[in-house]
Amino acid sequence: TDTDSIDSASGRHVMPTSMLLSADSYEKEALCYESDVVMKKSVKCKLLWMLFHASSLAKDWATCLDSMEELNEMGLSYGNASFHRDIALVFALLQCRRASTAHDITTKIIRKMMSLAVLTPIGNEASQYESISMRILLILADLYNVDTCLIRDDFSKNKYYDATSSTSISFSPCECTKRAVENIDFISSSNNDMMKPPTINELRVTVLNDRGIALLMSGDSIGALGCFRDAVAMTASNPSISWLALPAYFNLSLLLLRDGRIEESCKSWLGARGHLPTLESAMQGNNLDLQKLRDIRLLAINRHGLLMARRNFSGDGMVLEQENVMEWVPPNLVGDELNEDDNHHYGVDVSQITALDVVLLRFAVSYAEKKAARVFRRNGGGVF
């Protein structure tokens, strides 16, 4: 069946972290050293950050990883710069599918950061700013740790016990995403809007999506459904992050389909794909829109078949094993059409999108035909 080719959730993608690629990240680090010797190193440090930026945009993951490994070997550190570099290194490792190494680093980052008193501000503005800055880095570390677990299919409840503070830290996807939600809420509760990063809404949607996947994998489909709905609602109310809507809608619609709520799944997905007005009009007996819906279904079937044939011919059927990254830079919008030559569309594998298109458009046409027939009988008083 068509559903056999659809994964359980769209989650095996490194989530967006535009802050890692901001000029501010490397300029602050490069300008914080005063001696001539260290200044020379800091210039190299800045160039490596720029190389990381450029190679990431070019998807040259080998160069991206080399730049971060060299930067970390330099050992320069100022403030939270070491955490920033470690998280950037994890990002590069995940692009190269070195999930186990990335997991080891993220667990160390989380352990170190959880022990810092700076996470609890003492009240003044400088302390609050530093706390928010560190919490953002902790959110990224938790999200990347979840990615390492999803890629490795590791959902164990591994914990670390800190004898010094007599506390335990969990690295399971459920606990990491729960901690990320708490930190997002803490940042959002700040009375000073200037301290809230511009990526806060982007991070919240990402956290909600990861949280939903983690809950789904642990068996809590009701909790997962709530997270996906919240993520969809956030993208709808924030046009600047509309590019994150498709993964959220994909997960929501797929979960509804899995739970047998096919009508709701159909309306959710077709709404995301821009076909809901056509469906609603066809259901009211509009023959032109009903035919248009049939044409869309046929196009989806042909597109999915062509895509799978191309991949099988080129030996690219296992695309998820080759590239597991969600693009953090919003792609340029030219309509909402899929390009069969692309592996991913807004972070979701294209074959998954086209497969779900086929399944739900087939239902949509059948559903619209039945509804239209009832409208005809009711209005005409005859038998259709």
Side-chain angles (χ1 to χ4, degrees), residues 246 271-275 303 333-339 345-346 357:
L246 194 66
R273 304 290 285 133
H275 304 316
R303 176 181 287 155
L333 279 176
V334 182
D336 194 38
E337 293 302 311
L338 294 176
N339 182 351
H345 188 66
Y346 298 136
D357 279 345

Side-chain angles (χ1 to χ4, degrees), residues 155-351:
F155 306 105
S156 58
K157 299 180 179 179
N158 47 357
K159 292 186 176 181
Y160 167 77
Y161 180 76
D162 188 348
T164 304
S165 59
S166 299
T167 58
S168 62
I169 302 172
S170 175
F171 302 111
S172 70
C174 280
E175 289 300 317
C176 283
T177 52
K178 179 182 177 182
R179 190 162 51 236
V181 169
E182 292 171 350
N183 281 315
I184 285 281
D185 290 340
F186 177 90
I187 296 170
S188 299
S189 66
S190 172
N191 295 325
N192 190 341
D193 290 338
M194 296 297 293
M195 290 189 179
K196 298 177 184 178
T199 55
I200 188 68
N201 289 330
E202 179 182 316
L203 280 174
R204 184 178 286 279
V205 172
T206 302
V207 168
L208 286 170
N209 196 54
D210 266 22
R211 176 72 173 155
I213 294 168
L215 290 173
L216 184 60
M217 296 303 181
S218 66
D220 184 2
S221 59
I222 295 177
L225 192 61
C227 287
F228 294 146
R229 289 192 189 280
D230 289 345
V232 163
M234 277 213 68
T235 58
S237 60
N238 293 274
S240 63
I241 55 172
S242 60
W243 62 286
L244 287 172
L246 194 66
Y249 271 107
F250 181 88
N251 288 336
L252 173 61
S253 303
L254 193 57
L255 180 54
L256 289 169
L257 178 63
R258 193 204 69 170
D259 289 348
R261 300 160 67 173
I262 188 168
E263 181 181 341
E264 191 177 354
S265 172
C266 178
K267 290 182 177 179
S268 168
W269 183 243
L270 264 60
R273 304 290 285 133
H275 304 316
L276 186 57
T278 304
L279 171 62
E280 292 176 338
S281 178
M283 289 165 53
Q284 296 301 317
N286 187 314
N287 288 329
L288 291 178
D289 280 329
L290 182 57
Q291 184 57 48
K292 181 180 179 181
L293 195 63
R294 291 176 180 139
D295 293 341
I296 294 172
R297 176 191 61 182
L298 180 60
L299 178 63
I301 293 172
N302 291 338
R303 176 181 287 155
H304 181 65
L306 178 61
L307 173 66
M308 299 313 296
R310 284 184 177 181
R311 287 193 177 178
N312 291 334
F313 181 76
S314 63
D316 193 31
M318 296 299 291
V319 65
L320 285 178
E321 293 300 317
Q322 298 179 7
E323 181 177 349
N324 60 293
V325 60
M326 169 183 279
E327 296 193 20
W328 60 94
V329 179
N332 293 324
L333 279 176
V334 182
D336 194 38
E337 293 302 311
L338 294 176
N339 182 351
E340 293 89 349
D341 295 325
D342 291 336
N343 285 341
H344 292 85
H345 188 66
Y346 298 136
V348 185
D349 183 74
V350 172
S351 66

